[in-house]
Amino acid sequence: MQIYLPIAEVSINAFLLFGIGGLVGILSGMFGVGGGFLITPLLFFVGIPPAVAVATSTNQIVASSVSALFAHLKRRTVDFRMGSVLLIGGLIGSALGILLFNYLRGLGQVDLLVKLCYVVFLGIIGALMFVESLNAIRKTRSGKRPPRKKHHWSHGLPVKVRFRVSGLYISVIPPILVGVLVGVLSAVMGVGGGFIMVPAMIYLLGMPTKVVIGTSLFQIIFVTGFTTMLHATTNYTVDIVLAMLLLIGGVIGAQVGTRIGVKMKAEQLRILLALLVLLVCGKLALELLLQPRELYSLGPVGAS
């Protein structure tokens, strides 16, 4: 069933969009990520303009994250204090990211920027997560206990706060910086930032994996919601019809993903997420390197 998207100005199969939303919702529930790192490239692949894909995908991220968060609230695996600190940085980063997005959109370079950001960030994060997950699985099979957390430079920073749910007593500066980075990525790339936040919370902040997923979802909800409003009011690139189809699929998928995630080990979840990140990265990199079918396009006279 074909449906016309007024802002994107293309006709797309409605069931295809519903399926994309459902798939990303499952990932949100399993891994604690908003799923934007996957849904935005998938929208590129089916013909949605990058500017519209970035702005609209954040709607779906909000819905799937809210749906998945309820399941984690029941298990009490959400650190609201840590989530609030991350949120402060995230809101600041979102505002900065929108300014950068608008500037590059004015120059006509936003499409290239978005795709390059995906290739660079997904490649680095996916590779690091894959190597670490393999090492963790090997240590588990050999019967070795995981090493105790070591203190590093971030633990010596000022303004320390006790995060009881996470069992941490650290400075708020690293979480705020992580939040700022995720906020910028949310605005520029149309992602919740979970693919960076989850590894950062585990390896940089030292949070336990069972708390990381719920806390990540809590922060993602507000940052992506804020980013959506900024895109809608400044760029007018949020397609409501596209957003609704993705929302329905995302909410249903998130509940399924949460149930799957509970039955899997943390190391298995991380290596699956790493493989998925690398797969999307490879697909985008290939598209940037290969010669397009149409070397140029025609537009109305005077169009930028």
Side-chain angles (χ1 to χ4, degrees):
M1 181 179 71
Q2 295 292 114
I3 187 168
Y4 180 72
L5 306 177
I7 303 299
E9 298 181 338
V10 293
S11 294
I12 301 289
N13 188 291
F15 294 109
L16 174 62
L17 296 176
F18 180 79
I20 291 175
L23 174 62
V24 174
I26 291 174
L27 296 175
S28 177
M30 286 178 64
F31 303 121
V33 297
F37 74 92
L38 179 63
I39 195 169
T40 308
L42 286 177
L43 291 178
F44 295 165
F45 300 155
V46 299
I48 304 297
V52 177
V54 167
T56 307
S57 61
T58 51
N59 289 271
Q60 191 273 346
I61 296 170
V62 173
S64 60
S65 297
V66 169
S67 179
L69 179 64
F70 282 127
H72 287 280
L73 288 174
K74 293 179 181 178
R75 301 185 184 93
R76 298 182 180 179
T77 54
V78 181
D79 190 333
F80 288 104
R81 180 171 291 183
M82 178 64 79
S84 299
V85 173
L86 292 166
L87 179 57
I88 292 172
L91 296 178
I92 296 172
S94 292
L96 295 174
I98 288 293
L99 293 176
L100 176 62
F101 186 91
N102 290 344
Y103 173 72
L104 291 169
R105 188 165 183 249
L107 296 177
Q109 299 298 321
V110 71
D111 292 6
L112 179 62
L113 169 74
V114 170
K115 292 183 178 180
L116 285 175
C117 282
Y118 268 100
V119 172
V120 172
F121 279 102
L122 294 183
I124 294 174
I125 296 298
L128 291 175
M129 287 183 65
F130 183 74
V131 172
E132 191 280 334
S133 299
L134 281 180
N135 291 334
I137 290 175
R138 287 173 183 172
K139 290 177 182 178
T140 302
R141 289 180 177 177
S142 64
K144 294 181 180 179
R145 293 184 178 181
R148 297 182 65 184
K149 296 184 179 69
K150 297 180 180 180
H151 289 274
H152 50 83
W153 63 270
S154 65
H155 291 89
L157 296 175
V159 198
K160 290 188 175 182
V161 174
R162 190 174 301 280
F163 300 95
R164 299 187 183 280
V165 177
S166 300
L168 298 175
Y169 180 59
I170 59 173
S171 169
V172 297
I173 295 176
I176 288 178
L177 293 178
V178 171
V180 170
L181 175 61
V182 170
V184 172
L185 294 178
S186 177
V188 174
M189 298 170 63
V191 299
F195 70 95
I196 285 183
M197 177 169 290
V198 170
M201 292 165 76
I202 294 173
Y203 306 123
L204 178 62
L205 305 182
M207 293 178 62
T209 303
K210 66 177 182 179
V211 178
V212 164
I213 295 177
T215 307
S216 172
L217 291 169
F218 170 76
Q219 190 265 2
I220 285 171
I221 290 169
F222 294 98
V223 170
T224 50
F226 181 64
T227 301
T228 299
M229 289 191 294
L230 291 178
H231 273 299
T233 55
T234 61
N235 298 321
Y236 310 106
T237 49
V238 177
D239 194 306
I240 300 299
V241 178
L242 173 60
M244 289 303 298
L245 291 171
L246 296 174
L247 282 173
I248 296 170
V251 170
I252 297 173
Q255 295 301 315
V256 177
T258 302
R259 295 179 181 179
I260 297 173
V262 172
K263 298 179 181 179
M264 299 181 68
K265 295 181 180 179
E267 294 81 8
Q268 294 173 330
L269 286 172
R270 290 204 295 269
I271 199 168
L272 284 176
L273 179 59
L275 288 172
L276 190 59
V277 168
L278 289 173
L279 182 64
V280 175
C281 173
K283 170 65 175 174
L284 284 172
L286 195 62
E287 286 200 345
L288 288 174
L289 292 174
L290 294 179
Q291 179 174 306
R293 294 179 180 177
E294 298 179 3
L295 297 180
Y296 61 91
S297 59
L298 299 177
V301 177
S304 55

